[in-house]
Amino acid sequence: MAATTTTTSFKAALLSTPSISSSTKSTVLKPRFTSSSSSRYSPIPKSLIAHHVSTKTNAIVAKMGTVPSPVSETTSLDFHTSVFQKEKISLAGHEEYIVRGGRHLFPLLDDAFKGIKQIGVIGWGSQGPAQAQNLRDSLAEAKSDVVVKIGLRKGSRSFAEARAAGFTEENGTLGDIWETVAGSDLVLLLISDSAQADNYEKVFSHMKPNSILGLSHGFLLGHLQSLGLDFPKNISVIAVCPKGMGPSVRRLYVQGKEINGAGINASFAVHQDVDGRATDVALGWSVALGSPFTFATTLEQEYKSDIFGERGILLGAVHGVVECLFRRYVEDGMSEELAYKNTVECITGIVSKTISTKGMLAVYNSLSEEGKKRFEAAYSASYYPCMEILYECYEDVASGSEIRSVVLAGRRFYEKEGLPAFPMGKIDQTRMWKVGERVRATRAKDDLGPLCPFTSGVFVALMMAQIEVLRKKGHSYSEIINESLIEAVDSLNPFMHARGVSFMVDNCSTTARLGSRKWAPRFDYNLTQQAFVAVDSGAPINQDLISNFLSDPVHEAIEVCAKLRPTVDISVPPDADFVRPELRQSS
C-alpha cells in the first residue's frame, strides 16, 4: 500500500466518522439481554439517525495528518549474510527480507558463531530459561563445542532452577554473573529492564573487547538515549527479539522437535558491528532459538513497538477490554459465567484461533447477518477510542516517558528515602477473575468459547487501530503483524485461555505488568465512556470505517506471514506454569 493512499483513506475515514461523545442522542443498535441471558440488538428506524462529525474527530485528523507515513521503499532494512539464505517477500506492496528457520539449519550454527567459544545467558526470568535451553539443545544437535553458560548473582534462588534444567557449576555451564560476563564472547543480557538500567555500567565494564552484547529487547537503548549515552564502541551490539514470552519460546521449540518449523518468530537488529560478524551471529542466535522466520528491524523501532504492544493488544488493552465488556454484559442482564465466556473465553479462544489460522476477516465472515451488524456497531464505536489511547501510549514510549516510569517503578520495589517498598500486587482476587476460575474448572478440553459478535468487534477494532498507529509511525509490516497479531494469538492468548488474563497480568515481565496496570484502566474508561455510550445512544455505524477494514491491504500481508508461521499450534495444558521463578519462590 502506497503511503499516500494510506493517508488519504485514513483521513477520509476520520472525516466520515460519527461523533462518539455522550451528546449523540439517536439510536442505531440497542443491546438487550433476555432472562435466558442470550443477546439481541433491536434496529431503530433510520429516521432517528443523525450523522455528524465531531470537533474531537477533526482534532484527531489534524494530529494524525502529521504522523510519518508507513515504511517507504527507500527505508531499507536490507542486510547481508554469508551463512544463511536471505529471502525477499512482499507485504502489502512493501519488499522486506527474512531468513527462514528450521532444524536443518543447525549444522550452520558453528559458521554463524565463528569466533565464539562461550555464550553467557545472564538472568533466569521469562526469556532466560527458554533461550538458554533452546541454544544448548540446538548446539548439541549441531555437535558444536560452543558452551552455553548461565550467569546469576551470588545467592540467587534461581540457581536451583537452572540446575534442574541441566546447567551446573561442575560442567562449567552455571556460575556467577560477573564471571560469566567476563568470560563470554556473546553476552545475552536477559535480566529485567529495570535491572538493566541499574546495572548496565557494570556489565559494560566486565565485557571483553570485541565481544558481542545480545539483547532481546531494545529497552536498554531507550534508557541510554534518555540519558544522552550510547553503548561502548569496542563491542558489537545485536538483538534477537522473539515475538512471544519465554515459556512460548520453549514450548514451541520442544514441539518443533517433532514438527520442524514450530517456534516463535523473531526480529533481529544490528545496532553496532565492530568486526563484521554481528549479522550472522544474530541470525544464528535466532535460528538456534527455533524461530520459523526472522525479520530485520532496528533496536529503536523494536523497543518502541514492543513496549507499546505490551501496553496495547498484547496485554494492557485486552485486560481493559475484557473488564469493561464483562461489566457491561453483567449490568445488561447476563449471568456472570456467560459474561466471562463472552469476553475472555471468546477473545482468548475462538477469536484468537480464527485469526491465527484464517485472519481477522474470517472472524467477521463467520458471523450471521445479524451478528455482522453487532460486530459493525462495536467496531465502528470502538476504533477511535482505542486509537486515541494507543496513539498517546506510543508517543509516551517514543519520548522515553514509559521507559523512565519502568525504571522508577523498579526502584520503588525496595525501601528508600524512608518510604516503604511497594512491589506490584496481584489483580486475580476480584470477582471477575474468581468467576473465570469457575468457568475454566468446568470447561471441556477443546472448548474455545462462544463467538460473541460485539466482543469480536471491539477486539478487532483494537487490533486494527494498533496496526494503523504502527503503520503511521513507520514500522515494517513484519513488525506490525508480529507485534499486533501473531504474538497475541499465537503466544500470549493461548496461555491466557489456559490460565486467565489476570494470571498473565500477575506473572509476565515486570515491564509488561507495569504497563498493563497503568494502561488497562485507560482502555476500560475510554470504551465505557465513549464507545458504549455511542452504541447505546444510537451513533450511526461508520460504513467507510467498515469498508476500510474489509479492504485493508494488511489482510494480504497477514496471509503471507501465515505461510511462514509455525506449522503447529502451541499446546498449552490447563496447569501451564509460566510464573517467573522469583514469584514462585516468594509465594
Side-chain angles (χ1 to χ4, degrees):
M1 174 176 58
T4 53
T5 303
T6 307
T7 303
T8 301
S9 60
F10 177 61
K11 189 171 183 179
L14 279 163
L15 289 172
S16 60
T17 305
S19 168
I20 47 179
S21 68
S22 58
S23 62
T24 307
K25 300 299 182 184
S26 57
T27 302
V28 179
L29 296 174
K30 181 72 174 177
R32 293 284 187 270
F33 292 101
T34 64
S35 57
S36 62
S37 297
S38 62
S39 63
R40 64 184 178 86
Y41 287 76
S42 304
I44 301 300
K46 292 181 179 179
S47 59
L48 297 180
I49 297 174
H51 185 87
H52 65 279
V53 180
S54 69
T55 303
K56 183 175 184 180
T57 301
N58 288 330
I60 296 175
V61 173
K63 289 182 183 178
M64 295 301 289
T66 64
V67 176
S69 299
V71 175
S72 66
E73 299 299 334
T74 58
T75 305
S76 176
L77 289 173
D78 197 359
F79 56 90
H80 171 74
T81 172
S82 59
V83 176
F84 301 100
Q85 183 176 346
K86 181 178 68 174
E87 180 180 341
K88 180 164 57 176
I89 61 174
S90 178
L91 299 177
H94 294 271
E95 291 184 351
E96 299 184 24
Y97 296 90
I98 66 165
V99 167
R100 293 180 189 253
R103 301 178 109 77
H104 66 288
L105 297 177
F106 289 174
L108 300 178
L109 292 179
D110 267 343
D111 291 335
F113 291 144
K114 185 177 181 180
I116 294 176
K117 296 181 179 180
Q118 178 173 295
I119 300 174
V121 178
I122 310 304
W124 194 263
S126 174
Q127 289 289 334
Q131 293 203 30
Q133 292 178 84
N134 289 12
L135 280 164
R136 177 194 61 192
D137 294 354
S138 297
L139 289 165
E141 190 171 323
K143 296 181 172 56
S144 173
D145 293 328
V146 176
V147 174
V148 177
K149 182 176 181 178
I150 307 298
L152 301 172
R153 57 183 171 77
K154 291 186 184 297
S156 170
R157 288 174 291 185
S158 295
F159 270 97
E161 298 219 4
R163 293 188 191 104
F167 298 94
T168 67
E169 295 92 335
E170 291 75 18
N171 65 11
T173 59
L174 178 62
D176 170 71
I177 179 173
W178 305 117
E179 292 175 359
T180 303
V181 170
S184 297
D185 307 293
L186 171 58
V187 177
L188 307 186
L189 191 62
L190 303 181
I191 57 179
S192 71
D193 293 337
S194 57
Q196 288 186 30
D198 287 339
N199 292 280
Y200 69 89
E201 291 178 298
K202 193 170 183 180
V203 172
F204 294 164
S205 68
H206 279 74
M207 289 184 67
K208 298 188 293 188
N210 298 320
S211 60
I212 303 173
L213 175 65
L215 305 168
S216 280
H217 188 16
F219 182 94
L220 184 54
L221 172 64
H223 178 62
L224 292 175
Q225 287 177 334
S226 71
L227 300 174
L229 302 174
D230 204 346
F231 296 96
K233 298 304 180 186
N234 64 343
I235 62 171
S236 293
V237 180
I238 62 175
V240 169
C241 309
K243 298 301 138 185
M245 61 181 185
S248 298
V249 173
R250 181 60 180 170
R251 184 76 180 166
L252 274 171
Y253 178 90
V254 171
Q255 289 178 247
K257 291 182 178 181
E258 299 178 3
I259 302 178
N260 187 45
I264 291 289
N265 301 330
S267 62
F268 88 98
V270 175
H271 183 73
Q272 199 164 279
D273 188 357
V274 298
D275 57 13
R277 295 182 298 151
T279 297
D280 284 330
V281 170
L283 290 171
W285 174 12
S286 185
V287 167
L289 292 183
S291 303
F293 83 89
T294 306
F295 62 92
T297 186
T298 67
L299 207 53
E300 183 171 351
Q301 290 288 72
E302 193 287 326
Y303 83 71
K304 289 178 179 178
S305 63
D306 187 75
I307 299 176
F308 164 72
E310 289 172 346
R311 283 140 182 77
I313 201 163
L314 300 182
L315 191 63
V318 75
H319 173 199
V321 164
V322 296
E323 290 246 13
C324 67
L325 283 172
F326 175 83
R327 190 170 61 249
R328 174 180 174 82
Y329 292 163
V330 170
E331 289 173 355
D332 282 344
M334 263 195 191
S335 69
E336 290 182 329
E337 286 76 12
L338 192 56
Y340 188 88
K341 290 177 181 178
N342 276 281
T343 54
V344 176
E345 299 285 284
C346 170
I347 288 174
T348 63
I350 186 63
V351 168
S352 291
K353 177 71 172 180
T354 302
I355 292 174
S356 173
T357 56
K358 301 176 183 178
M360 285 182 285
L361 287 178
V363 175
Y364 177 81
N365 291 330
S366 65
L367 297 170
S368 66
E369 289 305 309
E370 183 62 26
K372 288 178 180 177
K373 292 178 182 178
R374 298 180 213 161
F375 178 101
E376 291 174 3
Y379 185 99
S380 177
S382 302
Y383 183 85
Y384 290 117
C386 287
M387 178 176 280
E388 180 182 2
I389 305 301
L390 290 164
Y391 187 13
E392 177 187 349
C393 181
Y394 186 96
E395 297 203 326
D396 270 13
V397 173
S399 70
S401 176
E402 279 298 299
I403 290 175
R404 285 191 293 274
S405 73
V406 170
V407 174
L408 293 173
R411 292 168 183 169
R412 290 194 298 271
F413 294 165
Y414 309 95
E415 292 184 20
K416 66 173 187 174
E417 299 173 348
L419 293 170
F422 285 97
M424 283 181 283
K426 291 191 173 184
I427 70 166
D428 64 354
Q429 297 303 303
T430 59
R431 188 167 185 81
M432 177 180 180
W433 307 117
K434 288 300 182 182
V435 172
E437 290 178 6
R438 297 199 301 270
V439 169
R440 290 191 300 277
T442 59
R443 184 175 65 195
K445 180 181 178 182
D446 297 320
D447 185 359
L448 294 176
L451 181 58
C452 175
F454 195 86
T455 296
S456 302
V458 175
F459 182 74
V460 174
L462 168 66
M463 185 170 279
M464 286 299 296
Q466 179 161 316
I467 287 170
E468 185 67 1
V469 170
L470 287 172
R471 205 157 39 184
K472 285 293 187 294
K473 291 295 186 177
H475 292 264
S476 70
Y477 268 99
S478 289
E479 194 155 57
I480 292 169
I481 293 168
N482 275 278
E483 289 286 0
S484 303
L485 190 147
I486 294 175
E487 185 169 357
V489 301
D490 282 353
S491 174
L492 301 180
N493 289 0
F495 275 88
M496 292 189 204
H497 195 68
R499 299 300 299 270
V501 175
S502 63
F503 194 84
M504 177 70 76
V505 172
D506 285 338
N507 294 291
C508 61
S509 72
T510 300
T511 301
R513 293 169 71 207
L514 285 166
S516 180
R517 282 161 170 76
K518 180 177 178 180
W519 290 93
R522 298 290 308 283
F523 286 99
D524 181 337
Y525 299 163
N526 231 34
L527 287 168
T528 299
Q529 295 163 2
Q530 295 186 36
F532 300 161
V533 168
V535 171
D536 295 342
S537 301
I541 295 174
N542 182 351
Q543 295 299 337
D544 286 342
L545 197 57
I546 301 301
S547 177
N548 287 346
F549 161 65
L550 295 175
S551 61
D552 197 296
V554 75
H555 301 302
E556 296 177 10
I558 290 169
E559 286 185 18
V560 175
C561 289
K563 297 175 183 177
L564 303 170
R565 70 184 288 276
T567 53
V568 58
D569 292 326
I570 188 168
S571 171
V572 185
D575 60 347
D577 182 14
F578 56 94
V579 182
R580 294 180 298 141
E582 64 268 30
L583 294 180
R584 274 201 298 275
Q585 290 151 359
S586 66
S587 63

